[in-house]
Amino acid sequence: MRQFPKPRVVVSACLNLKPVRYNGQEVRDEFVLKLLPYCEVVEVCPEIAIGLGVPREKIIVYKRDHAFGLSQPATGLELTERMESFSEKFLSGLSEVDGFILKSKSPSCGVSNTKVYKDPEGREFYSKGKGLFAMRVLEKFEDIPVEDEGRLRDKQLRTHFLTRLFSIADLRESFKRIEKVKDLMDFHQRYKYLLMAYSQAKLKTLGRLTAQAREENLRETLEEYKKVFLEALKRKPSVGQHTNAILHIFGHLSRNFKPSEREHFLKLVGDYKKGAVERKLLVEFLKSYAYRFENQYLLTQTYLQPYPEELEL
Ligand code: SF4
């Protein structure tokens, strides 16, 4: 059974943590509630941090002269500078963060669906966008997953988020312990099929980096490896990319199968490509056979278990 490191995640304080919303409430979210015990949580409420109380009048984001600002229409308070300076200080002080889960629709934390107005008084609606704090998070942490609880209700986005989160935490923890080239090779081997699903080109680059690593340039190689690894995990794989990785894994096992079993599996792959079955079914099938044939190489592949299975909703 795979042991998972605890990802270090920055979470909006109102998401199942504290009743700090403008109306004195918190937000219950089933997935976030389930995930929090598996993480090391850094909580943040930017609006409290800039001196607003609970409860408080609503604040809004506006866009004027190509720049975004933050204001509290009911009191006429202009909050842009306070939020910009808090964001800069807080985000610069963070170290070893693997991801963010922020509150959707919020003028501060929203990664999506935040109402943006044309004026600080909130008279005229401009468009849907992001909160001011979230904008700065996305600018500063473009290599790690930043999502809000609203977007994470989408199963595919959630799977992608969890895969990135636990892989990045694993890289962070594993790299602290790497002392020899062989340790890097072991790490790379575990991620072969996950990287294959995410990006064949990056898998190749990382394979070359690993092959060229020497004890004397190990630290530089790890830095370069980390950069490419984070880049590789940015884009959600397509069904075709997953199918390719699945068929490669199947290749390790297929000689143990009877022709009828092989045929059955390939039919399931066809069904997956048509959207008739979920990828999880194929992964569980491969995992069961890897156990049955005691294929240790496959059993260590993170592709077969990228994050704790209790987090599947
Ligand atoms: S959305 Fe962000 S700023 Fe608003 S209450 Fe939650 S943590 Fe605080």
Side-chain angles (χ1 to χ4, degrees):
M1 195 58 81
R2 191 178 161 198
Q3 296 293 314
F4 291 93
K6 276 194 161 193
R8 204 167 135 79
V9 189
V10 180
V11 183
S12 288
C14 60
L15 283 174
N16 303 310
L17 295 167
K18 291 202 170 131
V20 290
R21 295 192 75 206
Y22 70 96
N23 54 7
Q25 291 180 0
E26 62 178 49
V27 180
R28 304 287 295 174
D29 182 89
E30 198 195 335
F31 169 67
V32 177
L33 199 60
K34 211 166 180 180
L35 176 62
L36 293 182
Y38 292 85
C39 301
E40 190 189 327
V41 175
V42 178
E43 62 173 65
V44 62
C45 175
E47 291 175 23
I48 297 289
I50 63 169
L52 301 176
V54 182
R56 56 187 173 275
E57 297 289 348
K58 278 192 180 183
I59 66 173
I60 61 157
V61 192
Y62 63 88
K63 188 175 184 192
R64 200 165 55 180
D65 302 332
H66 308 292
F68 290 94
L70 201 66
S71 64
Q72 193 173 46
T75 59
L77 266 182
E78 172 51 52
L79 299 165
T80 313
E81 241 182 82
R82 280 203 235 171
M83 186 59 85
E84 292 289 14
S85 118
F86 165 72
S87 304
E88 171 57 29
K89 201 164 158 211
F90 176 79
L91 298 175
S92 308
L94 287 175
S95 65
E96 303 200 319
V97 177
D98 304 312
F100 285 76
I101 304 179
L102 301 175
K103 169 73 188 74
S104 65
K105 300 182 184 173
S106 153
S108 307
C109 295
V111 175
S112 62
N113 272 324
T114 296
K115 280 184 181 169
V116 180
Y117 293 85
K118 286 184 178 171
D119 52 282
E121 295 78 28
R123 285 194 212 103
E124 218 182 322
F125 176 72
Y126 170 67
S127 71
K128 288 276 175 79
K130 300 174 179 40
L132 201 58
F133 175 71
M135 287 180 209
R136 303 305 165 238
V137 172
L138 287 159
E139 277 165 17
K140 212 169 173 84
F141 292 89
E142 52 179 12
D143 288 336
I144 62 172
V146 178
E147 284 294 358
D148 62 42
E149 91 297 349
R151 281 173 52 87
L152 289 175
R153 282 188 206 119
D154 176 297
K155 194 171 181 187
Q156 290 195 11
L157 283 182
R158 200 166 60 234
T159 301
H160 177 50
F161 176 82
L162 287 172
T163 303
R164 285 180 81 194
L165 188 68
F166 280 88
S167 302
I168 292 170
D170 188 18
L171 175 120
R172 178 172 55 71
E173 285 294 318
S174 302
F175 272 29
K176 280 184 196 161
R177 295 190 299 270
I178 285 185
E179 286 176 356
K180 297 192 174 312
V181 170
K182 166 82 174 58
D183 304 329
L184 174 61
M185 289 166 99
D186 289 346
F187 178 88
H188 183 66
Q189 182 171 297
R190 288 198 288 120
Y191 276 89
K192 177 171 174 182
Y193 293 109
L194 192 127
L195 288 165
M196 182 182 283
Y198 269 82
S199 166
Q200 289 261 33
K202 298 280 190 304
L203 169 66
K204 228 169 150 182
T205 308
L206 291 168
R208 188 174 33 76
L209 275 173
T210 307
Q212 289 170 354
R214 300 287 173 268
E215 305 300 335
E216 53 277 15
N217 67 6
L218 190 54
R219 284 297 126 196
E220 293 84 342
T221 307
L222 293 182
E223 276 308 304
E224 187 58 23
Y225 189 100
K226 181 180 167 188
K227 234 165 49 195
V228 181
F229 185 89
L230 295 181
E231 191 65 33
L233 297 188
K234 276 187 182 172
R235 280 191 58 191
K236 190 159 59 70
S238 64
V239 168
Q241 285 171 296
H242 276 304
T243 304
N244 181 44
I246 284 167
L247 289 176
H248 272 83
I249 295 175
F250 177 64
H252 284 273
L253 297 164
S254 63
R255 66 186 145 77
N256 300 305
F257 288 179
K258 293 179 196 151
S260 55
E261 285 174 319
R262 220 172 290 148
E263 206 176 297
H264 175 60
F265 182 76
L266 294 175
K267 181 192 168 299
L268 288 178
V269 173
D271 290 347
Y272 165 63
K273 283 161 81 175
K274 284 188 270 179
V277 300
E278 289 201 26
R279 184 170 59 90
K280 190 167 169 29
L281 182 80
L282 302 177
V283 169
E284 288 306 320
F285 187 106
L286 292 171
K287 232 196 289 182
S288 306
Y289 278 94
Y291 278 122
R292 179 167 151 200
F293 300 125
E294 295 178 347
N295 189 319
Q296 289 311 320
Y297 174 66
L298 290 185
L299 289 171
T300 60
Q301 286 301 318
T302 54
Y303 184 78
L304 295 182
Q305 200 181 349
Y307 51 82
E309 57 192 16
E310 296 80 5
L311 294 176
E312 297 278 0
L313 282 186

